Amino acid sequence: MRILIAEDDSVLADGLTRSLRQSGYAVDHVKDGQSADLALSAQAFDLLILDLGLPKMSGMEVLKRLRSRSSMLPVLILTAADSTEERVKGLDHGADDYMAKPFALSELEARVRALTRRGTGGGPTVVKHGPLQFDQVGRVAYIDEKMLELSARELGLLEVLLKRVGRLVSKDQLVDHLCEWGEEVSNNAIEVYVHRLRKKIEVGGIRIATIRGLGYCLEKFQAPTAPATPASEGPSA
């Protein structure tokens, strides 16, 4: 999941960015409305967290331009204005949710999870593939109901592969979904992330197949079973 934060308060934006990245999201940040509008025109995101009081172009104008392009991108508005009129105006222009500052970070994270689920069609909160389960709300994965110890980057990688089960995922697609603007990520780095995740999930009958020169695909396989030990023969009569 890739999130754009449009917020001119650097301290608040930094806190939000750190928290969301720890949950496995790729997060980009812009400080003014013009930059937000350009970013939304050029890049695909899964959620927009939008401050209304942006310089250069108001958040409300950013929202109106976004919806004028027929974008269905989920939008969570943040604003210091807590009047009923402001809430109604934002919702009427196409916002999906609204939070007034100050707010509890835990509540914002819960709303982010709800909106990103809604943006993918409101599907099940738990994605299953063989013995592998990924809880999109709790941001945890299990194999045979045993929780996997995954880093934020490994969790994001697993989510991308799960959402494209049976389809090829290129390295460029992984970079787009996992990495923020300006982050230098080489093909070798992607291979390292895949290698680390592969070691943690392939013990459970799930593997990441490498299609040389093209990318990766998540698939199930039949784990080999140990040969049965022959019964010992008793003494002959």
Side-chain angles (χ1 to χ4, degrees):
M1 291 291 179
R2 187 162 191 166
I3 297 174
L4 177 65
I5 298 176
E7 170 61 65
D8 63 334
D9 184 331
S10 298
V11 175
L12 174 58
D14 183 63
L16 291 176
T17 298
R18 289 174 182 271
S19 176
L20 292 170
R21 284 176 180 168
Q22 287 175 358
S23 295
Y25 297 102
V27 183
D28 297 308
H29 171 226
V30 292
K31 297 181 179 180
D32 63 77
Q34 285 184 1
S35 298
D37 187 51
L38 287 172
L40 292 165
S41 300
Q43 175 72 49
F45 294 94
D46 299 290
L47 175 68
L48 170 62
I49 299 177
L50 177 66
D51 178 32
L52 290 185
L54 293 172
K56 297 186 180 180
M57 181 188 297
S58 72
M60 200 69 75
E61 182 62 25
V62 172
L63 179 60
K64 286 192 280 187
R65 291 189 180 206
L66 177 70
R67 295 305 185 222
S68 72
R69 296 192 290 269
S70 300
S71 172
M72 299 300 292
L73 177 70
V75 178
L76 171 60
I77 283 182
L78 304 180
T79 181
D82 192 23
S83 69
T84 300
E85 182 181 354
E86 283 295 312
R87 289 177 183 268
V88 170
K89 189 176 179 182
L91 294 171
D92 280 347
H93 283 304
D96 297 272
D97 203 353
Y98 208 114
M99 291 192 72
K101 303 174 186 177
F103 51 82
L105 189 56
S106 58
E107 181 183 357
L108 180 134
E109 290 174 343
R111 295 191 186 209
V112 165
R113 291 192 294 269
L115 287 171
T116 51
R117 287 200 308 276
R118 187 186 308 172
T120 57
T125 59
V126 177
V127 180
K128 298 182 180 181
H129 184 58
L132 176 64
Q133 297 184 46
F134 175 61
D135 182 346
Q136 298 181 87
V137 177
R139 308 294 295 170
V140 291
Y142 302 84
I143 284 186
D144 293 326
E145 300 186 1
K146 182 179 179 181
M147 189 172 73
L148 300 173
E149 295 292 335
L150 301 178
S151 68
R153 187 54 59 85
E154 291 164 354
L155 192 65
L157 172 61
L158 179 61
E159 184 175 25
V160 173
L161 292 171
L162 271 171
K163 289 181 179 296
R164 293 163 174 77
V165 165
R167 290 181 288 165
L168 183 71
V169 183
S170 70
K171 290 181 180 178
D172 287 343
Q173 287 175 317
L174 291 177
V175 169
D176 285 343
H177 283 275
L178 299 176
C179 307
E180 293 85 21
W181 294 332
E183 185 179 4
E184 295 294 332
V185 178
S186 65
N187 284 343
N188 287 340
I190 293 295
E191 290 172 4
V192 169
Y193 300 139
V194 170
H195 175 71
R196 291 174 180 170
L197 179 61
R198 181 178 275 143
K199 288 172 63 178
K200 295 178 181 181
I201 69 172
E202 291 199 349
V203 294
I206 301 292
R207 68 182 171 199
I208 304 171
T210 300
I211 314 301
R212 188 168 298 277
L214 296 175
Y216 305 97
C217 181
L218 190 66
E219 60 183 28
K220 292 180 280 191
F221 73 99
Q222 183 64 47
T225 56
T229 303
S232 60
E233 297 181 2
S236 57

